[in-house]
Amino acid sequence: MARIAVIPGDGIGPEVCAVAVRVLDALKDFEPGASWEIESFPWGSQYYLAHGSMLPPDGLDTLDDFDAILFGAVGSREVPDHVTLWGLRLAIVQGFDHAVSLRPAALLPGVRGPLAGRGPRDIDLVVVRENTEGEYSGIGGFSRRGHPGEVAIQTTIYSRTGIERTARYAFALAASRPDRRLASITKSNASRHASVLWDEVVAEVAADHPEVSWESVLVDAAAARLVLAPQSFDVIVASNLHGDVLSDLTGALAGSLGMAPSANLSLDGAHPSMFEPVHGSAFDLIGRDLANPVGMVLSVAMMLDDLGLAASAVAVRDAVTDTCARGILTPDAGGTASTTEMADAIVAYLDAARPAAHD
Ligand code: IPM
Ligand code: MG
């Protein structure tokens, strides 16, 4: 029996996590081994306002006993972003060494993407984002704080280990996809240390994967090419910040950031991986039953794959595809449905798809 921790967090996180739990309830006993117990944790900005920290001191120890974590969103108007993000989401990602953030983006039939003349065949890619280093290493400081000449320093670090494990994951993923193409994103013309090491290590890893055709693309050129020729990308591997920026772009290309799922992976399995939609708190949508649940529900599918429940994961993806194809979409993706109506359609599909019980 899998143990799943749910951290709804802030903003629309609780609304989309409620849909995730409905989906999981509908999948119980869907296939042998599809059983779990779910525990929810009230950590986030409200917890911070009451306790002075985003999660309790033993929070990571508590989570470590679980097989997977579902995360909603973090960020509120009452607490500064760098406090909420570092206090909760990045504390988990860094504490559990979630080496890679996997961010697929596919334009589903029925969803109207922002690019004229582009359809589902043009946008089907995955961003593999380095997830623990780079600009997110947390190294830096202030000098002469509060004076007119105050200075801030933010240091980017890249390690051979961090680059290599990300690249290995990305090449193996590319090798498993039909197109077997990979683009490594850097800014080696300007970032003449970190990006240069990145390029060297990626080239070494590429030598172990002759079956994958790969290229190195500068991040600014990649941004333009994603808009002009999105079909030219399959797997994208990028540094933490570049991956962050490009995955918002790819999410938008797939119709809405609200559709974008992600997985923060513990590659060695030492800790539970964490699955979350890319969208964040979305203050303008809170409490309006308008949040797009697809990013969260597709994150559940990624979790089910990680737990070895492939048939359940396929059923969830099919349920989402069918719902979108029928035009049942929230306004961010061009429809008029509510969160509840989308969730009802997804759950109804799963109920109908459930295999007859074995005796
Ligand atoms: C994301 C988000 C986060 C990130 C923020 C909220 C810190 O933008 O998951 O892409 O940059 O990692
Ligand atoms: Mg982001």
Side-chain angles (χ1 to χ4, degrees):
M1 161 112 50
R3 297 190 68 213
I4 301 170
V6 178
I7 306 174
D10 300 331
I12 57 171
E15 295 170 57
V16 294
C17 277
V19 179
V21 171
R22 281 189 66 190
V23 166
L24 286 172
D25 285 345
L27 284 169
K28 274 222 165 127
D29 302 320
F30 200 87
E31 64 183 306
S35 67
W36 37 74
E37 55 186 39
I38 299 173
E39 198 171 327
S40 190
F41 295 92
W43 303 336
S45 297
Q46 291 312 311
Y47 188 93
Y48 178 87
L49 292 172
H51 299 93
S53 68
M54 294 292 288
L55 78 179
D58 61 353
L60 287 191
D61 290 338
T62 304
L63 291 176
D64 218 359
D65 287 338
F66 286 80
D67 297 299
I69 304 164
L70 285 177
F71 192 90
V74 67
S76 81
R77 291 203 170 97
E78 291 111 323
V79 188
D81 279 350
H82 65 273
V83 173
T84 56
L85 295 167
W86 280 96
L88 186 57
R89 184 180 172 281
L90 292 173
I92 297 170
V93 165
Q94 306 251 354
F96 285 167
D97 198 27
H98 287 155
V100 156
S101 174
L102 196 59
R103 301 185 159 194
L107 181 59
L108 297 177
V111 178
R112 202 179 45 178
L115 298 183
R118 296 287 182 191
R121 255 191 272 195
D122 298 309
I123 296 157
D124 182 4
L125 48 85
V126 187
V127 175
V128 177
R129 169 183 175 188
E130 196 293 316
N131 209 29
T132 59
E133 306 191 328
E135 305 74 7
Y136 290 67
S137 59
I139 296 175
F142 293 99
S143 179
R144 301 166 69 206
R145 193 72 168 127
H147 293 277
E150 64 188 331
V151 172
I153 292 186
Q154 188 82 46
T155 303
T156 296
I157 57 154
Y158 266 101
S159 70
R160 169 169 280 278
T161 310
I163 300 166
E164 184 174 342
R165 64 186 184 175
T166 307
R168 289 214 177 279
Y169 186 89
F171 273 93
L173 177 66
S176 75
R177 289 170 60 91
D179 285 1
R180 296 194 189 155
R181 284 183 288 126
L182 180 144
S184 167
I185 309 298
T186 58
K187 187 68 185 168
S188 336
N189 49 357
S191 165
R192 57 190 192 142
H193 308 296
S195 279
V196 170
L197 182 63
W198 178 282
D199 283 341
E200 285 171 9
V201 176
V202 168
E204 286 170 27
V205 174
D208 292 337
H209 283 280
E211 75 280 26
V212 174
S213 70
W214 77 284
E215 58 183 331
S216 179
V217 188
L218 296 174
V219 64
D220 44 357
R225 206 174 104 191
L226 273 165
V227 173
L228 297 173
Q231 78 288 358
S232 68
F233 288 100
D234 181 20
V235 171
I236 290 175
V237 62
S239 73
N240 211 336
L241 186 60
H242 293 163
D244 174 42
V245 174
L246 292 182
S247 60
D248 264 37
L249 175 51
T250 56
L253 294 180
S256 165
L257 253 198
M259 315 276 301
S262 79
N264 301 282
L265 296 175
S266 166
L267 293 184
D268 55 8
H271 302 286
S273 294
M274 179 163 78
F275 303 85
E276 55 170 347
V278 177
H279 56 59
S281 287
F283 300 140
D284 52 326
L285 298 180
I286 297 173
R288 298 172 62 198
D289 201 21
L290 288 178
N292 190 331
V294 169
M296 182 82 244
V297 173
L298 291 178
S299 301
V300 169
M302 296 178 85
M303 177 187 78
L304 293 166
D305 273 332
D306 191 63
L307 293 173
L309 298 167
S312 307
V314 167
V316 171
R317 293 196 177 96
D318 286 350
V320 167
T321 304
D322 180 77
T323 301
C324 294
R326 289 164 56 211
I328 305 173
L329 291 161
T330 44
D332 57 295
T336 57
S338 65
T339 310
T340 306
E341 284 164 342
M342 277 203 90
D344 287 348
I346 291 167
V347 168
Y349 182 99
L350 292 173
D351 285 342
R354 171 188 302 283
H358 306 282
D359 290 320

